[in-house]
Amino acid sequence: MARLATTSDVYNAIAEPQRRSIINLLAKGELSVNDITETLELNQPQASKHLKVLKEVDLVTVRKAGKQRFYNLNGENLKPIHDWVMSFAHLWTERFDRLETYLDELQGKE
Amino acid sequence: MARLATTSDVYNAIAEPQRRSIINLLAKGELSVNDITETLELNQPQASKHLKVLKEVDLVTVRKAGKQRFYNLNGENLKPIHDWVMSFAHLWTERFDRLETYLDELQGKE
DNA sequence: TTGACATATGCTTATATAGGAATATATAGT
DNA sequence: ACTATATATTCCTATATAAGCATATGTCAA
C-alpha cells in the first residue's frame, strides 16, 4: 500500500507545502480562489484542487457569493496536530513543562 | 511531480501514522529496533525503513550498542511544526492570544 | 570459523498523488 | 440566448512511496 489518502488525514493534507501556504493566507481572512491563485502564483486548477483537499479534511469552508467562492480557514481542525506536537514541547524547552498547567488555566479547566 | 520526498521534509515524515507511533513510543525513552517492531507489531524491515526516514529528517538519532541500535527521539525538530500550528491556536481558543507572550517569557526572550 | 541474533538494504508491486492541459459547470450581465 | 468571468472536474503522466519478501550486513559468542 502507498501512503494514506490526503483526503482522510489532516496530517497528510498539511504535508503539501502549497496547501500550508494556502492555510497561511486564509489565516488573515477569507479569500476567493482567484485571490489565492494570484497570490501564490498557482494555476487555477491547482488551487481548486488543493482547496478541495483542504475542504475534504474540513480545514476550510466555502462561502458562495455570485461567481466567486470565498474560502475560510477552519483552524480548529488543526488542533489535533497542535495537541500532538505540543506533547513534545518539553523536549526543546525545559520550562515548557509549566505550559500545560498554564493552558489549563487559560481554558478555565483548572 | 508527486509529493515531496519524505526524506526532505519533516511534515511529510510525520504524515505516516506508524512513524508518528514510533515517535510516540520514543518519547518515553530510547528503544531498540526490536522493541519498536514488537510493540507496534511491524515487520522488522518496515520498522527499519520508517526509522531511516525519521533519521533522515533528523527526528531520531541512533546509539549503537553491540548488535542493537537504540533510537532516540530528537524532538527539537518538531519545533517548526509546533511553531507553525501554534500560529493558529488563537482560532480555537480566544484567550490563546496571551500564549505567545507567555512563551516569549518562558524562553527569556522578553 | 561457524552460528545465532539484530538490523539494514534491495527488489517488486500496488497505490496515491501533484501538475499540466483541456474541458465542464456555474453565474452574472447584456 | 450569448458572452465573459469564476471555479471545478477530468484525463494523463511522472514520481514517490509503503508493504512484503528475500537477502545482505554487522556483531557477538562458542
Side-chain angles (χ1 to χ4, degrees):
Chain A
M1 240 191 298
R3 212 186 303 213
L4 272 190
T6 60
T7 55
S8 62
D9 187 336
V10 179
Y11 286 91
N12 270 303
I14 67 156
E16 221 292 322
Q18 296 193 314
R19 283 198 288 266
R20 289 200 299 280
S21 297
I22 291 176
I23 292 173
N24 291 338
L25 279 184
L26 293 180
K28 301 167 193 159
E30 70 171 11
L31 291 173
S32 70
V33 177
N34 224 347
D35 293 335
I36 295 170
T37 299
E38 288 175 7
T39 306
L40 298 182
E41 294 180 311
L42 300 174
N43 297 318
Q44 178 268 312
Q46 295 312 317
S48 282
K49 285 175 194 169
H50 283 314
L51 287 166
K52 185 179 185 179
V53 172
L54 293 174
K55 189 171 52 180
E56 281 172 323
V57 297
D58 208 31
L59 273 175
V60 300
T61 55
V62 200
R63 180 174 70 83
K64 304 172 78 166
K67 291 183 267 193
Q68 293 171 296
R69 301 296 145 86
F70 288 95
Y71 280 82
N72 287 274
L73 183 60
N74 192 16
E76 300 100 74
N77 286 319
L78 287 172
K79 190 172 188 307
I81 296 179
H82 168 271
D83 291 346
W84 183 71
V85 177
M86 189 65 99
S87 70
F88 303 102
H90 64 93
L91 295 175
W92 62 79
T93 308
E94 331 75 50
R95 285 179 291 171
F96 233 100
D97 52 357
R98 280 195 261 146
L99 185 54
E100 201 168 306
T101 306
Y102 176 76
L103 292 183
D104 285 347
E105 287 170 5
L106 263 189
Q107 311 211 17
K109 290 182 194 162
E110 304 303 340
Chain B
M1 238 189 298
R3 214 184 302 212
L4 272 190
T6 59
T7 56
S8 60
D9 187 336
V10 179
Y11 286 90
N12 271 303
I14 67 156
E16 220 292 322
Q18 295 192 313
R19 283 197 289 266
R20 288 201 299 281
S21 297
I22 291 176
I23 291 174
N24 291 338
L25 279 183
L26 293 180
K28 301 168 194 160
E30 70 173 12
L31 291 173
S32 70
V33 176
N34 225 347
D35 293 334
I36 296 169
T37 298
E38 288 176 6
T39 306
L40 297 183
E41 295 181 310
L42 299 174
N43 296 319
Q44 179 269 314
Q46 295 312 315
S48 282
K49 285 174 194 171
H50 283 313
L51 287 165
K52 186 179 185 179
V53 172
L54 293 173
K55 190 171 53 182
E56 281 172 321
V57 298
D58 209 31
L59 274 175
V60 300
T61 55
V62 200
R63 181 175 69 83
K64 305 172 78 166
K67 290 182 267 194
Q68 293 171 294
R69 301 296 145 87
F70 288 95
Y71 281 81
N72 288 274
L73 183 59
N74 192 16
E76 300 100 73
N77 286 318
L78 287 174
K79 190 172 187 308
I81 296 179
H82 168 271
D83 291 346
W84 183 71
V85 178
M86 189 65 98
S87 70
F88 303 102
H90 64 92
L91 295 175
W92 61 80
T93 309
E94 330 74 49
R95 286 179 291 173
F96 234 99
D97 53 357
R98 280 194 261 146
L99 185 55
E100 201 168 306
T101 306
Y102 176 76
L103 292 182
D104 286 346
E105 286 169 5
L106 264 188
Q107 310 212 19
K109 288 182 193 165
E110 304 305 341

